[in-house]
């Protein structure tokens, strides 16, 4: 396909990864291009908003819900 030339301030969108089932420590190192807000108690991600595959701007917020394994 044709590559789109991005002009400031427009940024390319980044697809939200599937974080469900991951350990919250993995988020701190692997997903620094998003802001992560955590809710709940524990270490394992059980849900997220927005859902995986949604396109967001780099730096957007992903809410994750954690619980004990």
């Amino acid at each position: 396909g044709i590559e789109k030339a991005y002009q400031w301030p427009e940024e390319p969108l980044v697809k939200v990864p599937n974080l469900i089932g991951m350990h919250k420590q993995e988020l701190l190192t692997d997903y620094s291009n998003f802001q992560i807000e955590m809710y709940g108690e524990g270490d394992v991600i059980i849900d997220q908003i927005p859902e995986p595959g949604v396109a967001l701007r780099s730096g957007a917020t992903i809410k994750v819900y954690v619980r004990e394994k």
Side-chain angles (χ1 to χ4, degrees):
I2 298 173
E3 290 291 321
K4 180 177 178 180
Y6 293 98
Q7 297 180 2
W8 186 88
E10 184 181 13
E11 298 177 33
L13 298 179
V14 181
K15 284 193 176 184
V16 173
N18 183 359
L19 305 175
I20 297 169
M22 294 179 63
H23 193 277
K24 70 180 183 182
Q25 292 301 105
E26 295 175 82
L27 298 181
L28 304 177
T29 56
D30 296 341
Y31 298 101
S32 59
N33 56 333
F34 292 106
Q35 297 292 319
I36 305 290
E37 291 182 6
M38 286 191 206
Y39 298 91
E41 298 291 325
D43 296 322
V44 178
I45 298 166
I46 58 167
D47 201 4
Q48 70 183 66
I49 298 174
E51 62 188 34
V54 172
L56 298 177
R57 293 196 186 285
S58 184
T61 300
I62 300 175
K63 296 178 181 179
V64 296
Y65 299 87
V66 296
R67 72 169 184 199
E68 292 297 331
K69 190 169 186 179

